Amino acid sequence: MNRLYILGALLVSLAGALAAAPAAVAQPSPDFIAKREAFIDRLMKRMTVQEKIGQLRLRSVEAGPHPDMIGFEKEISDGRVGGIFNTVVRPGIRVLQDAAMRSRLKIPLFFSFDVIHGQRTIFPVDIGVASSWDLNAVHTMGRISAIEASADGLNLTYSPMVDISRDPRWGRNSEGFGEDTYLTSKMGAALVKAYQGDDPSQPGHIMATVKHFALYGAIEGGRDYNTVDMSERRMYDDYFPPYKAAVDAGAAAVMIALNSVNGEPATSDKWLLQDVLRKEWGFKGITISDHGAILELIKHGVAADGQDAARKAILAGTDMSMSDTIYDTNLAPLLKSGKIGMADIDRACRDVLRVKYDLGLFKDPFRDIGAAADDPPDTFAESRLHRPEARKVADESLVLLTNKNHALPLKKAGTIALIGPLADDQADVMGNWAGAGRVHQTVSLRQGIRNVAGDKVRVLYAKGANITDNPEVVAYLNHYSHDVHIDPRSEADMVKEAVDAARQADVIVAAVGESVGMAHEASSRSDIVIPPLQERLLEALKATGKPLVVVLMNGRPLALTWEAENADAMLETWFSGTEGGNAIADVLFGDVNPSGKLPMTFPRAVGQVPLYYNHLPTGRPFDPAHPDKYTSRYFDITNGPLFPFGYGLSYTTFGVSDVKLSAPTMKAGGTLQASVTVTNTGDRAGATVVQLYLNQPMASVSRPVKMLRGFSRVDLKPGESRVVSFPITDDDLAFYNQQMKRVVEPGKFNVYIGLDSDTVKATSFNRL
């Protein structure tokens, strides 16, 4: 076994203890910093202008069957490349690093990849991991991802994505942690620490890239690559904190967003990249453009041509250019003409060299690559996977949305009709941005049921429907790769087969939702219902009169009004990764009691979007008990969410006591404790997530009706009780006022504690 995987087993065994209370980020010693900066000073004095520019280029091997590897290696050996992305096996990486060692100054390359929710072992997509509300789960995913990526020769990942999103139409919701700034901040910071540890140069660690800076999740209409227009106060209160938390956790890199912010593309936004990121937050790492984004400044309408785009990007603070050749072509002429200064190139070059130094690459350019003799005999070997950890994280990520008359858990007996386009699918259950994971190593739901129930259950399988019958959508999803496979049979024939199976069964399990390509980059949807073809299948299955259990696979909140009314049970599984089928079966049969909670609000219809729990109050709030006409509401739909933020059921029940405060008042700079007693009032062991929300009913500006400020996952046996306490400090109460000063204003604060954002117990205190 590879030495990094042996190390990995030891590290993973410590994950729980480390994640429960992550230690403060270890800062480099003054001696280390002095040596690093002196080394970089000496190196840069020896570098030519072109070699410095070369460090600012992040390149990928050409796609296609016959890439020009000779030309690519010459670029590297000429000192014209600083880093590589999308090369993910050690032999291929070694060849490119060898080329760097043939360059004049032998400056090493770093190697990066989209390790988003796993490298070889694929965990649930990030919105699924967020549903665990468990920093231990985040830590486990991050440590194993880093161990596996490092063992493949990689140094840096483009993760975590901490963009706050309140619009489920956006295809990239699956990559983030949801709608809430507090939950996302905690999870993003935990993932950075898991990747990097205290010393990213040590084996089994990689560097993190927080993205997309800034506000990418707030694009208008949920339409990818669109614009953002937002007040500065909302930025600082709601959208900036997760990026800052990741920077404070030590993130080595920041990927710049593709969108514009108030008319200025982020790639050329000096205020974002220097005033906020560098000066206010003290960031010392590298900034990386998104793919081809510098050239896109022309289409944004802020640059006249490629040279102008390169000028604006480098002056704003974009260190590395991903994919395009724009820096290679234009920076030297810009320098010669005096439109940029040597200091601009030096600043960016130093940032890149600093990261390489911190990675230990100057000491050993092959630190993660090793010698060819040490390469794994089979890169894709089963022994390289971490299945138990992936299964446990997936178990915690599943959210039970409805469960009428205890339809779940299923009995390990009788006959199940397993129906649906996602029931026997391995590719979609793995999820988007699936690293270097392999479809054939992924457990489908059909296989998972077989693994968990064995021969105790008779399973009748029928596909029942394709993902969609819209040929334009199929063509779009298959534009770059053939991801959606269409069964040529007629809809009537497929439904008949499914109904025939259902009539022979005791219960129907219908796996429906989205293909992985429907919840991805460049996959925004104008509507968020289950595709109509699949809905018609569900209606036909419901008409059989057999109990209907709906298993959802999707990367965004969906509008599920019909499903919520008609399904006997509904389980949200997101895209749950390599062990997804086993984890779903664990919950379906009750081997695992579901404990996931939603990190995003589920609307009743797309017309309610954006719909999120921590909205501001209005002067005419809607009261469902007294639904007056002239209030903030829709008149043609039941108002409010279908499933609120923080919601999720269990196979047991929990009771929450009234809230107790350690004091009725809180002094400036003080701490108040808010506590409840949580009791498992059911007949089986289970876990739940206790959530603390705060609200300031009167302030100098309107404050959100609720703000998450604490959460705690609690495991309880039947009848067991536990006191759960949350500290409340001024940091939890602070906000930016109209003068853009972060303040705590004295007055009354409401405290809400419960098991979701709607179902809470309340009390209040006064901040003096």
Side-chain angles (χ1 to χ4, degrees), residues 155-390:
N155 313 117
L156 181 144
T157 177
Y158 305 129
S159 171
M161 191 191 95
V162 297
D163 302 317
I164 296 299
S165 174
R166 294 165 177 174
D167 193 329
R169 292 173 294 184
W170 190 39
R172 303 193 77 166
N173 280 298
S174 59
E175 297 175 51
F177 299 115
E179 71 184 47
D180 183 66
T181 191
Y182 182 87
L183 180 64
T184 299
S185 295
K186 293 295 184 183
M187 294 201 157
L191 196 50
V192 169
K193 294 174 186 177
Y195 287 143
Q196 296 189 174
D198 290 334
D199 183 356
S201 72
Q202 292 301 305
H205 292 81
I206 58 176
M207 282 189 162
T209 305
V210 62
K211 64 183 187 183
H212 305 82
F213 189 67
L215 317 181
Y216 192 23
I219 48 177
E220 289 184 358
R223 194 168 67 251
D224 221 349
Y225 318 128
N226 207 0
T227 60
V228 174
D229 198 290
M230 184 182 292
S231 71
E232 191 174 344
R233 188 156 56 83
R234 195 175 199 190
M235 290 184 203
Y236 275 87
D237 269 339
D238 292 359
Y239 286 82
F240 276 177
Y243 303 114
K244 186 177 187 299
V247 167
D248 290 345
V254 168
M255 182 179 286
I256 304 165
L258 290 163
N259 55 277
S260 62
V261 177
N262 298 341
E264 180 70 63
T267 308
S268 58
D269 193 331
K270 185 176 181 180
W271 176 74
L272 274 179
L273 301 182
Q274 294 193 40
D275 294 349
V276 176
L277 184 62
R278 301 281 186 187
K279 295 175 184 177
E280 287 186 33
W281 298 354
F283 178 67
K284 302 295 184 185
I286 52 173
T287 55
I288 302 171
S289 81
D290 209 330
H291 197 283
I294 297 176
L295 192 61
E296 290 171 9
L297 293 176
I298 300 171
K299 292 184 178 179
H300 272 290
V302 299
D305 51 29
Q307 189 171 106
D308 195 29
R311 178 186 65 84
K312 295 202 73 168
I314 195 73
L315 291 177
T318 300
D319 291 339
M320 295 195 83
S321 169
M322 179 189 281
S323 180
D324 56 41
T325 61
I326 197 163
Y327 274 3
D328 185 50
T329 304
N330 293 293
L331 288 187
L334 284 166
L335 180 66
K336 186 176 181 179
S337 67
K339 293 180 179 178
I340 65 171
M342 195 67 234
D344 300 307
I345 295 174
D346 282 349
R347 181 202 69 238
C349 181
R350 178 176 290 274
D351 290 340
V352 177
L353 296 176
R354 186 181 292 123
V355 166
K356 292 182 178 183
Y357 188 97
D358 290 352
L359 279 166
L361 291 173
F362 285 107
K363 288 184 178 179
D364 181 6
F366 298 89
R367 49 152 276 197
D368 289 323
I369 307 167
D374 297 327
D375 285 352
D378 178 5
T379 297
F380 310 110
E382 175 66 28
S383 61
R384 303 191 77 200
L385 302 184
H386 293 80
R387 288 189 180 275
E389 295 86 356

Side-chain angles (χ1 to χ4, degrees), residues 530-605:
I530 289 175
L533 180 65
Q534 297 182 57
E535 288 194 326
R536 293 195 295 270
L537 170 64
L538 292 178
E539 290 169 0
L541 295 175
K542 176 67 177 178
T544 67
K546 297 298 178 75
L548 176 61
V549 175
V550 172
V551 173
L552 298 163
M553 296 184 191
N554 47 292
R556 53 161 59 82
L558 298 175
L560 302 164
T561 305
W562 185 93
E563 291 79 7
E565 291 176 355
N566 289 278
D568 294 277
M570 190 156 52
L571 182 67
E572 174 61 82
T573 73
W574 309 108
F575 299 120
S576 44
T578 299
E579 283 289 300
N582 284 333
I584 298 168
D586 285 340
V587 170
L588 288 177
F589 289 104
D591 292 358
V592 169
N593 193 346
S595 57
K597 301 283 187 176
L598 295 178
M600 287 188 75
T601 301
F602 274 46
R604 298 175 186 274

Side-chain angles (χ1 to χ4, degrees), residues 495-715:
V495 170
K496 181 179 184 303
E497 180 187 40
V499 169
D500 287 346
R503 286 175 175 153
Q504 300 175 58
D506 302 304
V507 62
I508 304 165
V509 174
V512 296
E514 301 177 306
S515 73
V516 67
M518 296 171 75
H520 207 303
E521 182 176 355
S523 290
S524 299
R525 294 181 63 189
S526 65
D527 203 354
I528 51 172
V529 296
I530 289 175
L533 180 65
Q534 297 182 57
E535 288 194 326
R536 293 195 295 270
L537 170 64
L538 292 178
E539 290 169 0
L541 295 175
K542 176 67 177 178
T544 67
K546 297 298 178 75
L548 176 61
V549 175
V550 172
V551 173
L552 298 163
M553 296 184 191
N554 47 292
R556 53 161 59 82
L558 298 175
L560 302 164
T561 305
W562 185 93
E563 291 79 7
E565 291 176 355
N566 289 278
D568 294 277
M570 190 156 52
L571 182 67
E572 174 61 82
T573 73
W574 309 108
F575 299 120
S576 44
T578 299
E579 283 289 300
N582 284 333
I584 298 168
D586 285 340
V587 170
L588 288 177
F589 289 104
D591 292 358
V592 169
N593 193 346
S595 57
K597 301 283 187 176
L598 295 178
M600 287 188 75
T601 301
F602 274 46
R604 298 175 186 274
V606 71
Q608 293 177 291
V609 171
L611 185 67
Y612 50 97
Y613 85 93
N614 55 340
H615 58 85
L616 296 179
T618 79
R620 296 183 177 185
F622 175 73
D623 181 357
H626 303 90
D628 295 338
K629 180 175 182 178
Y630 293 103
T631 55
S632 182
R633 59 175 296 187
Y634 296 101
F635 73 82
D636 59 345
I637 195 172
T638 300
N639 282 260
L642 182 62
F643 301 113
F645 175 83
Y647 170 87
L649 302 177
S650 169
Y651 293 152
T652 190
T653 54
F654 298 94
V656 178
S657 72
D658 290 338
V659 182
K660 293 183 179 180
L661 299 179
S662 58
T665 59
M666 175 178 159
K667 295 180 180 179
T671 300
L672 197 70
Q673 295 289 333
S675 304
V676 293
T677 299
V678 183
T679 303
N680 184 339
T681 56
D683 58 3
R684 66 167 64 204
T688 191
V689 180
V690 187
Q691 303 158 36
L692 166 74
Y693 298 88
L694 299 178
N695 159 255
Q696 188 171 13
M698 188 182 72
S700 60
V701 295
S702 291
R703 302 295 296 129
V705 295
K706 287 190 182 83
M707 302 176 294
L708 181 70
R709 286 298 181 265
F711 58 92
S712 179
R713 183 180 172 86
V714 183
D715 289 272

